Amino acid sequence: MSLHTQYLESFLRSQFYMLRMDGPLPLPHRHYIAIMAAARHQCSYLINMHVDEFLKTGGIAEWLNGLEYVPQRLKNLNEINKLLAHRPWLITKEHIQKLVKTGENNWSLPELVHAVVLLAHYHALASFVFGSGINPERDPEISNGLRLIPVNNFCVCDLANDNNIENASLTGSNFGIVDSLSELEALMERMKRLQEEREDEEASQEEMTTRFEKEKKESLFVVSGDTFHSFPHSDFEDDMIITSDVSRYIEDPGFGYEDFARRGEEHLPTFRAQDYTWENHGFSLVNRLYSDIGHLLDEKFRMVYNLTYNTMATHEDVDTTMLRRALFNYVHCMFGIRYDDYDYGEVNQLLERSLKVYIKTVTCYPERTTKRMYDSYWRQFKHSEKVHVNLLLMEARMQAELLYALRAITRHLT
């Protein structure tokens, strides 16, 4: 993240606040909730970090044996942890009512908002960790099975220096530099054309709705089609073996993302962003129940949405707004969130197939991300630009989870 210092400051401020500053939840609980969240994606890097912090802040060591050792109250977060991580659109006010109903194990609303913010933060951070190749691989020869080694030879030292890692990935692939250069030029050309079309004609509301539904439907074929063709099936089989050091913190480990638009199932309603926005609804609710975190999150969302160096690979003075918006909105589209004023035709024009595979994997199944997926899109772009993509995906995911959870809390209150 230090490749993007402005963003990093904003990220650290909000993370520090939710973990260390005054807030409704006791410190050890905060770290335990982080562990529960990271465990949904088997993210040992984050789990290990927070196991240490949990003990340092006075957490009860026995809790680390697994969920059956924790108070019922924390255990009750399981359901919302699971839904937020994989299918946030299923969260209803009934889930909220169950947690806050009177009784010895009830949650106050400020405590629940604090917990939800932590869960969403750590689900999204797991996406960043896997997307950037930071998670340690398992090593059977070491007693606890973990040591920090580069994932798929994804060398962390190279990444930090941003030293032309793209050249390394190019030579390793069967694409010549010529191909990837023309790929870059083609993308720039499409951006220019879209800009011109935008000025020429406005699509009708019906047309905009159709384009969203089409994109939402298509997103469900993205991983299931390409990934299994491009990667041997066994890649995934290995990933799906969940080790006990992770599974002890979750229930129902097999529960994962299901395509929002999957055919043949009951059609889930589209979440119209205009009906419940972060700016007008979520922000004020969070601030009211858990002071200041709303401002910090808002600053972080704005920061990542507007962060730009006006460059694209070797080109300077490029307005990348259109591309950044397509990345953010595509993530929301996979979670069923639709912006009425956005033309989803742009997503299709700007995000190539390999990039869509990457986005969907990092956002919905981060534990399946491979170095090959990372290398296969935007081959001319600098590593720092790809980290920038990961920051956008992480924040878009966090915001999507928060919108669904906060909308359910608002409904519970009204």
Side-chain angles (χ1 to χ4, degrees), residues 152 229-232 235 369-377:
N152 305 337
H229 293 313
S230 12
F231 305 102
D235 275 11
T369 314
T370 63
K371 172 82 163 70
R372 182 165 162 190
M373 288 177 190
Y374 180 93
D375 286 338
S376 68
Y377 83 92

Side-chain angles (χ1 to χ4, degrees), residues 52-327:
D52 289 348
E53 292 293 326
F54 172 74
L55 293 170
K56 276 185 201 148
T57 51
I60 298 165
E62 196 190 9
W63 292 12
L64 298 174
N65 292 331
L67 287 177
E68 59 271 32
Y69 297 88
V70 306
Q72 187 57 42
R73 204 164 160 272
L74 266 177
K75 215 184 288 184
N76 290 348
L77 279 182
N78 251 317
E79 187 68 10
I80 204 162
N81 181 25
K82 178 175 97 172
L83 294 177
L84 262 183
H86 308 294
R87 305 179 207 170
W89 53 86
L90 295 179
I91 292 175
T92 63
K93 67 177 186 192
E94 284 71 32
H95 293 109
I96 307 302
Q97 274 152 4
K98 217 152 113 190
L99 289 164
V100 300
K101 68 173 188 299
T102 48
E104 53 181 332
N105 297 318
N106 72 314
W107 288 75
S108 70
L109 276 172
E111 287 172 329
L112 184 57
V113 166
H114 193 172
V116 158
V117 167
L118 283 164
L119 290 171
H121 176 79
Y122 281 99
H123 294 150
L125 190 54
S127 282
F128 182 81
V129 166
F130 283 109
S132 306
I134 297 166
N135 206 51
E137 281 191 338
R138 303 203 54 76
D139 184 346
E141 288 169 25
I142 292 184
S143 57
N144 69 352
L146 287 171
R147 69 168 177 190
L148 268 171
I149 55 173
V151 176
N152 305 337
N153 303 324
F154 208 159
C155 172
V156 182
C157 47
D158 283 351
L159 302 191
N161 302 329
D162 194 22
N163 55 3
N164 281 354
I165 189 160
E166 68 278 15
N167 298 343
S169 65
L170 280 172
T171 50
S173 74
N174 41 10
F175 298 101
I177 287 191
V178 181
D179 278 353
S180 56
L181 273 174
S182 55
E183 208 175 65
L184 172 67
E185 300 306 329
L187 176 58
M188 307 261 311
E189 193 47 53
R190 285 197 299 276
M191 284 168 71
K192 208 170 116 200
R193 199 178 63 240
L194 281 169
Q195 195 54 53
E196 287 159 4
E197 282 171 10
R198 231 188 230 173
E199 287 153 16
D200 289 351
E201 50 159 340
E202 287 277 300
S204 68
Q205 272 314 110
E206 289 81 352
E207 178 57 27
M208 299 276 261
T209 309
T210 311
R211 286 175 192 176
F212 171 76
E213 291 301 332
K214 180 169 177 282
E215 201 50 57
K216 190 172 78 171
K217 253 195 199 67
E218 276 179 11
S219 79
L220 65 129
F221 297 116
V222 165
V223 166
S224 38
D226 290 40
T227 313
F228 287 111
H229 293 313
S230 12
F231 305 102
H233 200 68
S234 61
D235 275 11
F236 286 166
E237 298 305 309
D238 297 345
D239 286 356
M240 295 305 111
I241 299 166
I242 301 183
T243 52
S244 63
D245 55 315
V246 172
S247 62
R248 69 179 80 164
Y249 301 118
I250 51 175
E251 282 173 4
D252 196 359
F255 187 91
Y257 171 87
E258 275 211 0
D259 291 304
F260 193 70
R262 194 174 296 245
R263 295 154 307 161
E265 277 179 19
E266 194 180 325
H267 183 67
L268 287 151
T270 290
F271 183 130
R272 289 181 63 251
Q274 279 66 11
D275 298 341
Y276 194 91
T277 64
W278 164 255
E279 294 76 13
N280 301 334
H281 309 90
F283 169 73
S284 54
L285 176 67
V286 168
N287 256 2
R288 196 170 86 227
L289 292 169
Y290 175 19
S291 61
D292 280 347
I293 192 68
H295 289 293
L296 291 166
L297 292 175
D298 192 56
E299 179 202 1
K300 184 163 65 92
F301 290 145
R302 285 174 198 274
M303 168 68 68
V304 80
Y305 200 71
N306 297 316
L307 181 69
T308 182
Y309 306 93
N310 297 308
T311 59
M312 268 176 72
T314 47
H315 294 261
E316 290 180 4
D317 299 325
V318 187
D319 181 355
T320 58
T321 313
M322 181 185 280
L323 201 50
R324 297 194 313 272
R325 196 172 176 194
L327 289 162

Side-chain angles (χ1 to χ4, degrees), residues 355-386:
L355 176 53
K356 283 182 170 178
V357 169
Y358 178 77
I359 294 172
K360 182 156 182 192
T361 309
V362 168
T363 308
C364 305
Y365 321 96
E367 60 283 2
R368 299 178 180 181
T369 314
T370 63
K371 172 82 163 70
R372 182 165 162 190
M373 288 177 190
Y374 180 93
D375 286 338
S376 68
Y377 83 92
W378 285 4
R379 295 188 306 272
Q380 271 296 302
F381 282 65
K382 293 197 282 288
H383 172 65
S384 57
E385 291 173 310
K386 291 192 170 190

